[in-house]
């Protein structure tokens, strides 16, 4: 006798399905736009640090023994510390026949080929057969860094 109520759970209407598909389509479009934006961002170049400040850092002042020195073959230079806090640099190429000097000790830079010896103070010849002093090289000392100018 009581009237039948119409169904409380209607089948999904066509409109509901279309709305769902539409939402997915919009999400996909947004994702595509997002990735394009990120790939077109500009890049920033990192700074080069010490190299850009002028000169190549050869060593720390503490690397150079007082009264002695150190040879930097790759740079063709020998750096000496004739007295505390005074640094000098000379070519590491012997003026006799062009060997690379190999040792710095007791105030002299020595060549292994024919045993010439040069002063750590001014590069002058202390012992032949070389007759010409080692040429000066330009260095700068800033803080505790020794740079090749
Ligand atoms: S090349 Fe150095 S002493 Fe001869």
């Amino acid at each position: 006798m009581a009237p039948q109520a119409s169904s409380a759970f209607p089948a999904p209407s066509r409109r509901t399905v279309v709305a769902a598909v539409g939402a997915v389509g919009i999400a996909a479009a947004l994702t595509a736009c997002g990735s394009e934006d990120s790939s077109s961002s500009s890049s920033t170049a990192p700074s080069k640090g010490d190299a850009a400040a002028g000169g190549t850092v050869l060593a720390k002042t503490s690397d150079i023994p007082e009264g002695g020195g150190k040879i930097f073959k790759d740079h063709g230079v020998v750096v000496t510390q004739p007295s505390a806090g005074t640094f000098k640099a000379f070519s590491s190429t012997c003026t006799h026949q062009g060997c690379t000097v190999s040792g710095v000790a007791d105030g002299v830079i020595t060549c292994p080929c024919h045993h010439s010896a040069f002063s750590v103070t001014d590069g002058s010849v202390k012992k032949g057969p070389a007759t010409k002093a080692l040429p000066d090289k330009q260095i700068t000392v800033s803080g505790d860094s020794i740079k090749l100018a």
Side-chain angles (χ1 to χ4, degrees), residues 24-92:
V24 170
I26 289 167
L30 289 173
T31 302
C33 285
S35 64
E36 269 180 38
D37 285 350
S38 65
S39 67
S40 66
S41 65
S42 63
S43 62
T44 52
S47 71
K48 294 288 182 198
D50 284 347
T56 302
V57 175
L58 280 178
K60 289 190 177 296
T61 53
S62 58
D63 295 337
I64 312 300
E66 189 180 335
K70 193 168 178 185
I71 297 157
F72 299 90
K73 248 188 195 173
D74 291 350
H75 295 94
V77 63
V78 51
V79 177
T80 63
Q81 186 178 189
S83 59
T86 301
F87 296 91
K88 300 275 187 157
F90 309 99
S91 165
S92 63

Side-chain angles (χ1 to χ4, degrees), residues 90-110:
F90 309 99
S91 165
S92 63
T93 304
C94 180
T95 56
H96 178 229
Q97 288 183 1
C99 290
T100 298
V101 297
S102 64
V104 189
D106 301 326
V108 293
I109 301 162
T110 52

Side-chain angles (χ1 to χ4, degrees), residues 94 96-99 111 113-116:
C94 180
H96 178 229
Q97 288 183 1
C99 290
C111 178
C113 293
H114 313 96
H115 311 291
S116 287

